[in-house]
Amino acid sequence: MELEGESVQWYKYGWEHSYLEMITLVILMCLALMFEVCFHQLMHAMERSYLYGDEHANTALAMRGSSRQFTESRTRHRRLFKEFVSRVAGEFMSLGFLGLSLFIFSFMSGFEILVKTLHASPESVTVYNHLVKLVHIKLFLGMAMYFVLVFRVVSGGVRQVRKWEQLNLQRIEHATSSGPTDSPDPDFDKYLRLRCHFLFKLSDWQSKEPTHFRETCRTLGIGSASEGAQRKLDLWLHDKFSFSEYLAINVEHGVCDSIEVHPLTWLVVLLIMCSFAVIDRLGRLDSIGLGTPICILLAFGILASMQWVAVRKHRRILDRARASGMDPAQPLARSESVYTEKPVVRIVKNLHRHYNTEMITLRVLQIVLFLISYFFASTLLDLDGWRLHAKRTWLYTAGFVLLFSLLSYSLPSSVPTFLALMALPPYMDDDNLKMFFSVLAGDVHSHRCRPSDDHDDVLPHQVADESEDDLPHQVAVESVLGSFPWSDDATESLS
């Protein structure tokens, strides 16, 4: 026991020290065991949490294909709740390491050495020791609040992905039924029009994105130089492309990126904290009091921007789909676009294509959410503030509660919608293209595993000869596609 820097032996006999140590150890081990059991139960539950494909596997439509088809499709997806729990465990393990480091530093008289180096008064040892421990608790509480917000993002992502999968099943049911295809469900109508917009933009690839067009034809086994290649591609995509899976993979990728606390994010946070320290030292200003309203305004600004982009793009897609008379239930007819782009719009779209702007936005949002969480924790644990400036502290606390309520309400819907819309043309970047071709190859393989149905005549019975620039890719295509059920000549033409 330490009292005013001197070690005092509080026990008279050795058994007294040993007795209290064993009692303390038993209590701590019981708490650790309870936590371990609860954590393992939680991880076991997360192993059975929702994964894209569960809705397909639970319906009668799954009987049309093999179980292998769903198994291979599900390997491309992630259980978001499991990823979240694993990341939370890792972050709190890091905080435990920080607690151990602080104990070793204090045990090795690190604070005494620090006081001597800074030529501070001996009483500063207790002050520094208390401050460091309080900052550690603030960091712990701030991380807990941050992961509460991330959990809301994860839950919103899971809910949206499940909804898309259900809507895709509904589309398949309508496509296979002989009755009317009109549905009173507005979500279903929006989903069909988003899918129609996606396929309509892809129909322009032959003239605007010839490289992407050839790659898509290679994946499907369609000769890109053959007659009617674009029409065959449109028919196949309209009938068999899993648009819901493409959206799901993009949302899962973005949400998992939000779960991870990247080194670059930590570096930016460190630079911001260092700048606050410089402001405190040179400007003699309260950086926490100054940074709190700034972070609140940034959070509102980023959320408002994401919501504005999502609503504006969504509305334009739906309006154009209605104005052009597109029928989501029918394959697309080739037509030239009547819309002309302004130079500024073209520059913005090129920026989105070459840079993963949605990930950059999420990283900035991640930094702001972490700073808000830490400032909220700092406000709650500001003992001097509660004692000396109670009204201001109450005002900040009420503002943070209101902000967290708004964030918890808006994040589950705004983040998945933003990620989905930014994965649609003309904003598809390299990461989106990789996911598109991954889903496309999976669709080809899954339909190859299925028994022949009424729609398998979409692919050509005879693929025309490819151009010379397609030849290096033929071996890779053959390994992906194998033998087509539509025609034996399709595979033979690739060899």
mmCIF file of all heavy atoms in Angstrom, residues 64 168 171-176 191 195 199 220 231-243 328-332 440 443-444 446-447 450 452-459 486:
data_model
loop_
_atom_site.group_PDB
_atom_site.id
_atom_site.type_symbol
_atom_site.label_atom_id
_atom_site.label_comp_id
_atom_site.label_asym_id
_atom_site.label_seq_id
_atom_site.Cartn_x
_atom_site.Cartn_y
_atom_site.Cartn_z
ATOM 1 N N ARG A 64 -34.977 -26.045 -56.361
ATOM 2 C CA ARG A 64 -34.733 -26.045 -57.805
ATOM 3 C C ARG A 64 -33.266 -26.254 -58.127
ATOM 4 O O ARG A 64 -32.922 -26.682 -59.213
ATOM 5 C CB ARG A 64 -35.197 -24.728 -58.411
ATOM 6 C CG ARG A 64 -36.698 -24.501 -58.304
ATOM 7 C CD ARG A 64 -37.057 -23.170 -58.913
ATOM 8 N NE ARG A 64 -36.643 -23.088 -60.295
ATOM 9 C CZ ARG A 64 -36.612 -21.960 -60.991
ATOM 10 N NH1 ARG A 64 -36.957 -20.823 -60.403
ATOM 11 N NH2 ARG A 64 -36.226 -21.958 -62.248
ATOM 12 N N ASN A 168 -35.528 -10.208 -53.758
ATOM 13 C CA ASN A 168 -35.068 -11.006 -54.898
ATOM 14 C C ASN A 168 -35.870 -12.290 -55.026
ATOM 15 O O ASN A 168 -36.218 -12.710 -56.143
ATOM 16 C CB ASN A 168 -33.584 -11.323 -54.733
ATOM 17 C CG ASN A 168 -33.016 -12.029 -55.947
ATOM 18 O OD1 ASN A 168 -33.059 -11.518 -57.061
ATOM 19 N ND2 ASN A 168 -32.490 -13.228 -55.734
ATOM 20 N N ARG A 171 -39.067 -11.393 -56.571
ATOM 21 C CA ARG A 171 -38.926 -11.192 -58.018
ATOM 22 C C ARG A 171 -38.909 -12.524 -58.759
ATOM 23 O O ARG A 171 -39.534 -12.667 -59.831
ATOM 24 C CB ARG A 171 -37.628 -10.423 -58.308
ATOM 25 C CG ARG A 171 -37.403 -10.104 -59.776
ATOM 26 C CD ARG A 171 -35.993 -9.603 -60.016
ATOM 27 N NE ARG A 171 -35.011 -10.646 -59.784
ATOM 28 C CZ ARG A 171 -34.663 -11.550 -60.699
ATOM 29 N NH1 ARG A 171 -35.225 -11.551 -61.896
ATOM 30 N NH2 ARG A 171 -33.737 -12.449 -60.422
ATOM 31 N N ILE A 172 -38.200 -13.506 -58.201
ATOM 32 C CA ILE A 172 -38.144 -14.828 -58.841
ATOM 33 C C ILE A 172 -39.527 -15.469 -58.860
ATOM 34 O O ILE A 172 -39.940 -16.080 -59.853
ATOM 35 C CB ILE A 172 -37.129 -15.726 -58.121
ATOM 36 C CG1 ILE A 172 -35.718 -15.127 -58.238
ATOM 37 C CG2 ILE A 172 -37.145 -17.134 -58.689
ATOM 38 C CD1 ILE A 172 -34.673 -15.886 -57.447
ATOM 39 N N GLU A 173 -40.260 -15.321 -57.768
ATOM 40 C CA GLU A 173 -41.605 -15.883 -57.725
ATOM 41 C C GLU A 173 -42.512 -15.238 -58.768
ATOM 42 O O GLU A 173 -43.289 -15.911 -59.443
ATOM 43 C CB GLU A 173 -42.189 -15.699 -56.325
ATOM 44 C CG GLU A 173 -41.507 -16.546 -55.250
ATOM 45 C CD GLU A 173 -42.046 -16.242 -53.866
ATOM 46 O OE1 GLU A 173 -42.891 -15.322 -53.755
ATOM 47 O OE2 GLU A 173 -41.632 -16.924 -52.918
ATOM 48 N N HIS A 174 -42.408 -13.920 -58.923
ATOM 49 C CA HIS A 174 -43.225 -13.238 -59.922
ATOM 50 C C HIS A 174 -42.816 -13.628 -61.329
ATOM 51 O O HIS A 174 -43.665 -13.705 -62.226
ATOM 52 C CB HIS A 174 -43.105 -11.728 -59.741
ATOM 53 C CG HIS A 174 -43.903 -11.211 -58.588
ATOM 54 N ND1 HIS A 174 -44.227 -9.889 -58.457
ATOM 55 C CD2 HIS A 174 -44.437 -11.828 -57.509
ATOM 56 C CE1 HIS A 174 -44.929 -9.705 -57.346
ATOM 57 N NE2 HIS A 174 -45.059 -10.880 -56.757
ATOM 58 N N ALA A 175 -41.494 -13.838 -61.536
ATOM 59 C CA ALA A 175 -41.022 -14.203 -62.873
ATOM 60 C C ALA A 175 -41.476 -15.603 -63.271
ATOM 61 O O ALA A 175 -41.684 -15.880 -64.454
ATOM 62 C CB ALA A 175 -39.504 -14.111 -62.931
ATOM 63 N N THR A 176 -41.615 -16.501 -62.298
ATOM 64 C CA THR A 176 -42.005 -17.879 -62.595
ATOM 65 C C THR A 176 -43.502 -18.103 -62.545
ATOM 66 O O THR A 176 -43.980 -19.165 -62.929
ATOM 67 C CB THR A 176 -41.334 -18.839 -61.601
ATOM 68 O OG1 THR A 176 -41.654 -18.433 -60.256
ATOM 69 C CG2 THR A 176 -39.827 -18.828 -61.778
ATOM 70 N N TYR A 191 -37.027 -1.681 -55.603
ATOM 71 C CA TYR A 191 -35.966 -2.656 -55.878
ATOM 72 C C TYR A 191 -35.924 -3.012 -57.359
ATOM 73 O O TYR A 191 -34.841 -3.077 -57.973
ATOM 74 C CB TYR A 191 -36.200 -3.909 -55.031
ATOM 75 C CG TYR A 191 -35.276 -5.054 -55.380
ATOM 76 C CD1 TYR A 191 -33.957 -5.069 -54.931
ATOM 77 C CD2 TYR A 191 -35.720 -6.120 -56.151
ATOM 78 C CE1 TYR A 191 -33.109 -6.113 -55.252
ATOM 79 C CE2 TYR A 191 -34.881 -7.165 -56.471
ATOM 80 C CZ TYR A 191 -33.574 -7.163 -56.020
ATOM 81 O OH TYR A 191 -32.745 -8.201 -56.350
ATOM 82 N N ARG A 195 -32.843 -2.267 -59.965
ATOM 83 C CA ARG A 195 -32.263 -3.350 -60.766
ATOM 84 C C ARG A 195 -32.351 -3.020 -62.249
ATOM 85 O O ARG A 195 -31.402 -3.261 -63.023
ATOM 86 C CB ARG A 195 -32.995 -4.660 -60.474
ATOM 87 C CG ARG A 195 -32.370 -5.893 -61.110
ATOM 88 C CD ARG A 195 -33.115 -7.151 -60.685
ATOM 89 N NE ARG A 195 -32.410 -8.340 -61.124
ATOM 90 C CZ ARG A 195 -32.595 -8.928 -62.302
ATOM 91 N NH1 ARG A 195 -33.490 -8.432 -63.135
ATOM 92 N NH2 ARG A 195 -31.906 -10.008 -62.619
ATOM 93 N N LEU A 199 -29.130 -2.611 -64.847
ATOM 94 C CA LEU A 199 -28.990 -3.351 -66.094
ATOM 95 C C LEU A 199 -29.020 -2.414 -67.297
ATOM 96 O O LEU A 199 -28.335 -2.667 -68.302
ATOM 97 C CB LEU A 199 -30.102 -4.387 -66.208
ATOM 98 C CG LEU A 199 -30.126 -5.461 -65.107
ATOM 99 C CD1 LEU A 199 -31.266 -6.442 -65.345
ATOM 100 C CD2 LEU A 199 -28.796 -6.195 -65.021
ATOM 101 N N LEU A 220 -19.506 -14.983 -69.172
ATOM 102 C CA LEU A 220 -20.734 -15.689 -69.528
ATOM 103 C C LEU A 220 -20.553 -16.651 -70.690
ATOM 104 O O LEU A 220 -21.459 -17.424 -71.002
ATOM 105 C CB LEU A 220 -21.832 -14.677 -69.880
ATOM 106 C CG LEU A 220 -22.271 -13.736 -68.762
ATOM 107 C CD1 LEU A 220 -23.368 -12.806 -69.250
ATOM 108 C CD2 LEU A 220 -22.744 -14.517 -67.558
ATOM 109 N N ARG A 231 -27.460 -8.080 -77.065
ATOM 110 C CA ARG A 231 -28.801 -8.555 -76.761
ATOM 111 C C ARG A 231 -28.768 -9.837 -75.933
ATOM 112 O O ARG A 231 -29.547 -9.999 -74.982
ATOM 113 C CB ARG A 231 -29.558 -8.798 -78.070
ATOM 114 C CG ARG A 231 -31.000 -9.273 -77.893
ATOM 115 C CD ARG A 231 -31.801 -8.249 -77.113
ATOM 116 N NE ARG A 231 -33.203 -8.645 -76.967
ATOM 117 C CZ ARG A 231 -34.066 -8.039 -76.172
ATOM 118 N NH1 ARG A 231 -33.669 -6.990 -75.461
ATOM 119 N NH2 ARG A 231 -35.315 -8.436 -76.098
ATOM 120 N N LYS A 232 -27.856 -10.733 -76.273
ATOM 121 C CA LYS A 232 -27.724 -11.969 -75.491
ATOM 122 C C LYS A 232 -27.295 -11.666 -74.061
ATOM 123 O O LYS A 232 -27.783 -12.275 -73.110
ATOM 124 C CB LYS A 232 -26.713 -12.890 -76.160
ATOM 125 C CG LYS A 232 -27.113 -13.373 -77.538
ATOM 126 C CD LYS A 232 -25.968 -14.098 -78.218
ATOM 127 C CE LYS A 232 -26.340 -14.465 -79.651
ATOM 128 N NZ LYS A 232 -25.210 -15.105 -80.362
ATOM 129 N N LEU A 233 -26.375 -10.688 -73.926
ATOM 130 C CA LEU A 233 -25.926 -10.303 -72.586
ATOM 131 C C LEU A 233 -27.063 -9.693 -71.777
ATOM 132 O O LEU A 233 -27.245 -10.018 -70.595
ATOM 133 C CB LEU A 233 -24.765 -9.314 -72.705
ATOM 134 C CG LEU A 233 -24.209 -8.738 -71.399
ATOM 135 C CD1 LEU A 233 -23.654 -9.844 -70.520
ATOM 136 C CD2 LEU A 233 -23.136 -7.697 -71.679
ATOM 137 N N ASP A 234 -27.841 -8.816 -72.395
ATOM 138 C CA ASP A 234 -28.967 -8.191 -71.702
ATOM 139 C C ASP A 234 -29.973 -9.225 -71.228
ATOM 140 O O ASP A 234 -30.487 -9.154 -70.104
ATOM 141 C CB ASP A 234 -29.646 -7.173 -72.619
ATOM 142 C CG ASP A 234 -28.772 -5.968 -72.903
ATOM 143 O OD1 ASP A 234 -27.799 -5.762 -72.149
ATOM 144 O OD2 ASP A 234 -29.042 -5.246 -73.886
ATOM 145 N N LEU A 235 -30.278 -10.199 -72.090
ATOM 146 C CA LEU A 235 -31.249 -11.231 -71.728
ATOM 147 C C LEU A 235 -30.753 -12.075 -70.561
ATOM 148 O O LEU A 235 -31.507 -12.390 -69.646
ATOM 149 C CB LEU A 235 -31.547 -12.116 -72.948
ATOM 150 C CG LEU A 235 -32.343 -11.456 -74.076
ATOM 151 C CD1 LEU A 235 -32.403 -12.380 -75.288
ATOM 152 C CD2 LEU A 235 -33.744 -11.108 -73.608
ATOM 153 N N TRP A 236 -29.472 -12.436 -70.601
ATOM 154 C CA TRP A 236 -28.936 -13.270 -69.516
ATOM 155 C C TRP A 236 -28.951 -12.513 -68.198
ATOM 156 O O TRP A 236 -29.360 -13.049 -67.166
ATOM 157 C CB TRP A 236 -27.517 -13.727 -69.858
ATOM 158 C CG TRP A 236 -27.065 -14.902 -69.045
ATOM 159 C CD1 TRP A 236 -27.046 -16.209 -69.431
ATOM 160 C CD2 TRP A 236 -26.562 -14.883 -67.701
ATOM 161 N NE1 TRP A 236 -26.574 -16.998 -68.412
ATOM 162 C CE2 TRP A 236 -26.275 -16.215 -67.344
ATOM 163 C CE3 TRP A 236 -26.336 -13.879 -66.770
ATOM 164 C CZ2 TRP A 236 -25.771 -16.554 -66.085
ATOM 165 C CZ3 TRP A 236 -25.852 -14.207 -65.514
ATOM 166 C CH2 TRP A 236 -25.564 -15.535 -65.189
ATOM 167 N N LEU A 237 -28.487 -11.267 -68.219
ATOM 168 C CA LEU A 237 -28.447 -10.489 -66.984
ATOM 169 C C LEU A 237 -29.849 -10.244 -66.440
ATOM 170 O O LEU A 237 -30.076 -10.326 -65.226
ATOM 171 C CB LEU A 237 -27.740 -9.152 -67.230
ATOM 172 C CG LEU A 237 -26.240 -9.222 -67.533
ATOM 173 C CD1 LEU A 237 -25.705 -7.838 -67.860
ATOM 174 C CD2 LEU A 237 -25.472 -9.817 -66.368
ATOM 175 N N HIS A 238 -30.791 -9.943 -67.320
ATOM 176 C CA HIS A 238 -32.155 -9.696 -66.854
ATOM 177 C C HIS A 238 -32.755 -10.938 -66.212
ATOM 178 O O HIS A 238 -33.474 -10.849 -65.213
ATOM 179 C CB HIS A 238 -33.032 -9.240 -68.018
ATOM 180 C CG HIS A 238 -34.475 -9.054 -67.640
ATOM 181 N ND1 HIS A 238 -35.394 -10.093 -67.709
ATOM 182 C CD2 HIS A 238 -35.150 -7.973 -67.169
ATOM 183 C CE1 HIS A 238 -36.569 -9.654 -67.297
ATOM 184 N NE2 HIS A 238 -36.452 -8.377 -66.970
ATOM 185 N N ASP A 239 -32.444 -12.102 -66.745
ATOM 186 C CA ASP A 239 -33.081 -13.324 -66.269
ATOM 187 C C ASP A 239 -32.365 -13.917 -65.062
ATOM 188 O O ASP A 239 -33.016 -14.432 -64.149
ATOM 189 C CB ASP A 239 -33.120 -14.353 -67.400
ATOM 190 C CG ASP A 239 -33.927 -15.584 -67.022
ATOM 191 O OD1 ASP A 239 -35.088 -15.426 -66.618
ATOM 192 O OD2 ASP A 239 -33.367 -16.697 -67.084
ATOM 193 N N LYS A 240 -31.031 -13.827 -64.995
ATOM 194 C CA LYS A 240 -30.294 -14.633 -64.020
ATOM 195 C C LYS A 240 -29.380 -13.853 -63.084
ATOM 196 O O LYS A 240 -28.886 -14.425 -62.109
ATOM 197 C CB LYS A 240 -29.456 -15.690 -64.758
ATOM 198 C CG LYS A 240 -30.301 -16.718 -65.508
ATOM 199 C CD LYS A 240 -29.407 -17.736 -66.210
ATOM 200 C CE LYS A 240 -30.264 -18.873 -66.780
ATOM 201 N NZ LYS A 240 -31.185 -18.398 -67.827
ATOM 202 N N PHE A 241 -29.105 -12.583 -63.363
ATOM 203 C CA PHE A 241 -28.154 -11.880 -62.505
ATOM 204 C C PHE A 241 -28.763 -11.622 -61.125
ATOM 205 O O PHE A 241 -29.882 -11.123 -60.994
ATOM 206 C CB PHE A 241 -27.746 -10.552 -63.137
ATOM 207 C CG PHE A 241 -26.780 -9.756 -62.295
ATOM 208 C CD1 PHE A 241 -25.498 -10.217 -62.068
ATOM 209 C CD2 PHE A 241 -27.175 -8.565 -61.707
ATOM 210 C CE1 PHE A 241 -24.611 -9.492 -61.283
ATOM 211 C CE2 PHE A 241 -26.302 -7.835 -60.925
ATOM 212 C CZ PHE A 241 -25.013 -8.306 -60.714
ATOM 213 N N SER A 242 -27.984 -11.939 -60.087
ATOM 214 C CA SER A 242 -28.441 -11.773 -58.703
ATOM 215 C C SER A 242 -28.074 -10.370 -58.229
ATOM 216 O O SER A 242 -27.011 -10.159 -57.626
ATOM 217 C CB SER A 242 -27.819 -12.849 -57.809
ATOM 218 O OG SER A 242 -28.261 -12.698 -56.481
ATOM 219 N N PHE A 243 -28.942 -9.429 -58.517
ATOM 220 C CA PHE A 243 -28.698 -8.035 -58.142
ATOM 221 C C PHE A 243 -28.651 -7.873 -56.625
ATOM 222 O O PHE A 243 -27.864 -7.087 -56.096
ATOM 223 C CB PHE A 243 -29.787 -7.162 -58.748
ATOM 224 C CG PHE A 243 -29.638 -5.700 -58.460
ATOM 225 C CD1 PHE A 243 -28.515 -5.006 -58.862
ATOM 226 C CD2 PHE A 243 -30.628 -5.009 -57.773
ATOM 227 C CE1 PHE A 243 -28.373 -3.649 -58.603
ATOM 228 C CE2 PHE A 243 -30.499 -3.662 -57.510
ATOM 229 C CZ PHE A 243 -29.377 -2.974 -57.923
ATOM 230 N N PRO A 328 -39.721 -3.132 -65.508
ATOM 231 C CA PRO A 328 -38.759 -3.976 -64.803
ATOM 232 C C PRO A 328 -38.969 -5.460 -65.050
ATOM 233 O O PRO A 328 -38.052 -6.250 -64.834
ATOM 234 C CB PRO A 328 -39.006 -3.625 -63.321
ATOM 235 C CG PRO A 328 -39.656 -2.290 -63.346
ATOM 236 C CD PRO A 328 -40.486 -2.277 -64.588
ATOM 237 N N ALA A 329 -40.156 -5.853 -65.489
ATOM 238 C CA ALA A 329 -40.430 -7.266 -65.696
ATOM 239 C C ALA A 329 -40.000 -7.748 -67.073
ATOM 240 O O ALA A 329 -40.052 -8.944 -67.344
ATOM 241 C CB ALA A 329 -41.925 -7.535 -65.505
ATOM 242 N N GLN A 330 -39.567 -6.825 -67.968
ATOM 243 C CA GLN A 330 -39.200 -7.203 -69.315
ATOM 244 C C GLN A 330 -37.731 -6.880 -69.565
ATOM 245 O O GLN A 330 -37.183 -5.941 -68.992
ATOM 246 C CB GLN A 330 -40.074 -6.450 -70.337
ATOM 247 C CG GLN A 330 -41.553 -6.742 -70.202
ATOM 248 C CD GLN A 330 -41.878 -8.192 -70.487
ATOM 249 O OE1 GLN A 330 -41.197 -8.837 -71.284
ATOM 250 N NE2 GLN A 330 -42.925 -8.698 -69.852
ATOM 251 N N PRO A 331 -37.081 -7.659 -70.453
ATOM 252 C CA PRO A 331 -35.693 -7.339 -70.810
ATOM 253 C C PRO A 331 -35.596 -5.956 -71.422
ATOM 254 O O PRO A 331 -36.544 -5.450 -72.023
ATOM 255 C CB PRO A 331 -35.334 -8.441 -71.821
ATOM 256 C CG PRO A 331 -36.297 -9.547 -71.549
ATOM 257 C CD PRO A 331 -37.563 -8.888 -71.075
ATOM 258 N N LEU A 332 -34.435 -5.346 -71.262
ATOM 259 C CA LEU A 332 -34.250 -3.974 -71.713
ATOM 260 C C LEU A 332 -34.190 -3.895 -73.230
ATOM 261 O O LEU A 332 -33.596 -4.754 -73.884
ATOM 262 C CB LEU A 332 -32.956 -3.398 -71.125
ATOM 263 C CG LEU A 332 -32.922 -3.259 -69.610
ATOM 264 C CD1 LEU A 332 -31.530 -2.837 -69.185
ATOM 265 C CD2 LEU A 332 -33.953 -2.257 -69.141
ATOM 266 N N LEU A 440 -21.152 -12.379 -60.782
ATOM 267 C CA LEU A 440 -21.503 -12.879 -62.104
ATOM 268 C C LEU A 440 -20.963 -14.295 -62.315
ATOM 269 O O LEU A 440 -21.678 -15.180 -62.813
ATOM 270 C CB LEU A 440 -20.952 -11.938 -63.170
ATOM 271 C CG LEU A 440 -21.511 -12.095 -64.582
ATOM 272 C CD1 LEU A 440 -22.984 -11.770 -64.600
ATOM 273 C CD2 LEU A 440 -20.748 -11.193 -65.553
ATOM 274 N N ASP A 443 -23.062 -16.654 -60.331
ATOM 275 C CA ASP A 443 -24.351 -16.925 -60.975
ATOM 276 C C ASP A 443 -24.192 -17.933 -62.103
ATOM 277 O O ASP A 443 -25.030 -18.823 -62.281
ATOM 278 C CB ASP A 443 -24.948 -15.624 -61.516
ATOM 279 C CG ASP A 443 -25.480 -14.724 -60.415
ATOM 280 O OD1 ASP A 443 -25.704 -15.241 -59.303
ATOM 281 O OD2 ASP A 443 -25.645 -13.513 -60.647
ATOM 282 N N VAL A 444 -23.125 -17.791 -62.895
ATOM 283 C CA VAL A 444 -22.879 -18.735 -63.985
ATOM 284 C C VAL A 444 -22.687 -20.140 -63.429
ATOM 285 O O VAL A 444 -23.263 -21.112 -63.923
ATOM 286 C CB VAL A 444 -21.639 -18.295 -64.803
ATOM 287 C CG1 VAL A 444 -21.238 -19.381 -65.794
ATOM 288 C CG2 VAL A 444 -21.926 -16.997 -65.522
ATOM 289 N N SER A 446 -23.677 -21.327 -60.484
ATOM 290 C CA SER A 446 -24.869 -21.845 -59.829
ATOM 291 C C SER A 446 -25.885 -22.338 -60.853
ATOM 292 O O SER A 446 -26.522 -23.376 -60.660
ATOM 293 C CB SER A 446 -25.500 -20.777 -58.933
ATOM 294 O OG SER A 446 -25.973 -19.702 -59.713
ATOM 295 N N HIS A 447 -26.028 -21.613 -61.970
ATOM 296 C CA HIS A 447 -26.959 -22.060 -63.004
ATOM 297 C C HIS A 447 -26.405 -23.265 -63.757
ATOM 298 O O HIS A 447 -27.175 -24.063 -64.290
ATOM 299 C CB HIS A 447 -27.264 -20.922 -63.974
ATOM 300 C CG HIS A 447 -28.184 -19.894 -63.399
ATOM 301 N ND1 HIS A 447 -29.540 -20.088 -63.329
ATOM 302 C CD2 HIS A 447 -27.952 -18.676 -62.832
ATOM 303 C CE1 HIS A 447 -30.116 -19.040 -62.769
ATOM 304 N NE2 HIS A 447 -29.165 -18.164 -62.458
ATOM 305 N N ARG A 450 -27.571 -26.196 -61.855
ATOM 306 C CA ARG A 450 -28.997 -26.453 -61.853
ATOM 307 C C ARG A 450 -29.385 -27.370 -63.003
ATOM 308 O O ARG A 450 -28.745 -27.373 -64.049
ATOM 309 C CB ARG A 450 -29.786 -25.145 -62.007
ATOM 310 C CG ARG A 450 -29.781 -24.249 -60.794
ATOM 311 C CD ARG A 450 -30.702 -23.092 -61.037
ATOM 312 N NE ARG A 450 -30.711 -22.186 -59.903
ATOM 313 C CZ ARG A 450 -31.521 -21.149 -59.807
ATOM 314 N NH1 ARG A 450 -32.375 -20.910 -60.770
ATOM 315 N NH2 ARG A 450 -31.479 -20.364 -58.758
ATOM 316 N N SER A 452 -31.672 -28.141 -66.247
ATOM 317 C CA SER A 452 -32.124 -27.215 -67.278
ATOM 318 C C SER A 452 -33.547 -26.781 -67.002
ATOM 319 O O SER A 452 -34.387 -27.558 -66.564
ATOM 320 C CB SER A 452 -32.043 -27.879 -68.658
ATOM 321 O OG SER A 452 -30.693 -28.236 -68.937
ATOM 322 N N ASP A 453 -33.852 -25.498 -67.216
ATOM 323 C CA ASP A 453 -35.198 -24.967 -67.060
ATOM 324 C C ASP A 453 -35.597 -24.222 -68.308
ATOM 325 O O ASP A 453 -34.920 -24.225 -69.319
ATOM 326 C CB ASP A 453 -35.323 -24.073 -65.816
ATOM 327 C CG ASP A 453 -34.296 -22.969 -65.803
ATOM 328 O OD1 ASP A 453 -33.900 -22.553 -66.907
ATOM 329 O OD2 ASP A 453 -33.908 -22.522 -64.714
ATOM 330 N N ASP A 454 -36.724 -23.570 -68.227
ATOM 331 C CA ASP A 454 -37.284 -22.939 -69.416
ATOM 332 C C ASP A 454 -36.510 -21.715 -69.862
ATOM 333 O O ASP A 454 -36.721 -21.227 -70.963
ATOM 334 C CB ASP A 454 -38.748 -22.530 -69.155
ATOM 335 C CG ASP A 454 -39.620 -23.740 -68.881
ATOM 336 O OD1 ASP A 454 -39.217 -24.830 -69.327
ATOM 337 O OD2 ASP A 454 -40.682 -23.587 -68.225
ATOM 338 N N HIS A 455 -35.642 -21.207 -69.016
ATOM 339 C CA HIS A 455 -34.962 -19.940 -69.340
ATOM 340 C C HIS A 455 -33.526 -20.157 -69.790
ATOM 341 O O HIS A 455 -32.809 -19.206 -69.999
ATOM 342 C CB HIS A 455 -34.971 -19.011 -68.125
ATOM 343 C CG HIS A 455 -36.342 -18.704 -67.637
ATOM 344 N ND1 HIS A 455 -37.132 -17.749 -68.220
ATOM 345 C CD2 HIS A 455 -37.078 -19.242 -66.614
ATOM 346 C CE1 HIS A 455 -38.302 -17.685 -67.584
ATOM 347 N NE2 HIS A 455 -38.280 -18.586 -66.616
ATOM 348 N N ASP A 456 -33.121 -21.383 -69.917
ATOM 349 C CA ASP A 456 -31.712 -21.627 -70.226
ATOM 350 C C ASP A 456 -31.376 -21.419 -71.687
ATOM 351 O O ASP A 456 -30.226 -21.576 -72.084
ATOM 352 C CB ASP A 456 -31.321 -23.054 -69.814
ATOM 353 C CG ASP A 456 -31.236 -23.217 -68.315
ATOM 354 O OD1 ASP A 456 -31.104 -22.187 -67.638
ATOM 355 O OD2 ASP A 456 -31.315 -24.358 -67.834
ATOM 356 N N ASP A 457 -32.358 -21.107 -72.502
ATOM 357 C CA ASP A 457 -32.050 -20.883 -73.897
ATOM 358 C C ASP A 457 -31.587 -19.459 -74.161
ATOM 359 O O ASP A 457 -31.456 -19.043 -75.302
ATOM 360 C CB ASP A 457 -33.278 -21.188 -74.764
ATOM 361 C CG ASP A 457 -34.479 -20.334 -74.359
ATOM 362 O OD1 ASP A 457 -34.369 -19.642 -73.322
ATOM 363 O OD2 ASP A 457 -35.502 -20.378 -75.060
ATOM 364 N N VAL A 458 -31.311 -18.704 -73.093
ATOM 365 C CA VAL A 458 -30.865 -17.323 -73.272
ATOM 366 C C VAL A 458 -29.465 -17.283 -73.851
ATOM 367 O O VAL A 458 -29.148 -16.475 -74.708
ATOM 368 C CB VAL A 458 -30.909 -16.569 -71.934
ATOM 369 C CG1 VAL A 458 -30.310 -15.196 -72.082
ATOM 370 C CG2 VAL A 458 -32.339 -16.481 -71.452
ATOM 371 N N LEU A 459 -28.588 -18.194 -73.408
ATOM 372 C CA LEU A 459 -27.234 -18.207 -73.924
ATOM 373 C C LEU A 459 -27.220 -18.780 -75.332
ATOM 374 O O LEU A 459 -28.043 -19.620 -75.687
ATOM 375 C CB LEU A 459 -26.328 -19.037 -73.015
ATOM 376 C CG LEU A 459 -25.858 -18.309 -71.767
ATOM 377 C CD1 LEU A 459 -24.906 -19.199 -71.004
ATOM 378 C CD2 LEU A 459 -25.203 -16.997 -72.084
ATOM 379 N N TRP A 486 -26.311 -25.456 -71.408
ATOM 380 C CA TRP A 486 -27.107 -24.996 -72.535
ATOM 381 C C TRP A 486 -26.639 -25.614 -73.848
ATOM 382 O O TRP A 486 -27.430 -25.844 -74.737
ATOM 383 C CB TRP A 486 -27.020 -23.479 -72.648
ATOM 384 C CG TRP A 486 -27.422 -22.811 -71.387
ATOM 385 C CD1 TRP A 486 -28.690 -22.575 -70.964
ATOM 386 C CD2 TRP A 486 -26.568 -22.305 -70.368
ATOM 387 N NE1 TRP A 486 -28.683 -21.960 -69.748
ATOM 388 C CE2 TRP A 486 -27.393 -21.772 -69.359
ATOM 389 C CE3 TRP A 486 -25.188 -22.247 -70.210
ATOM 390 C CZ2 TRP A 486 -26.887 -21.207 -68.218
ATOM 391 C CZ3 TRP A 486 -24.683 -21.672 -69.072
ATOM 392 C CH2 TRP A 486 -25.519 -21.160 -68.091
#
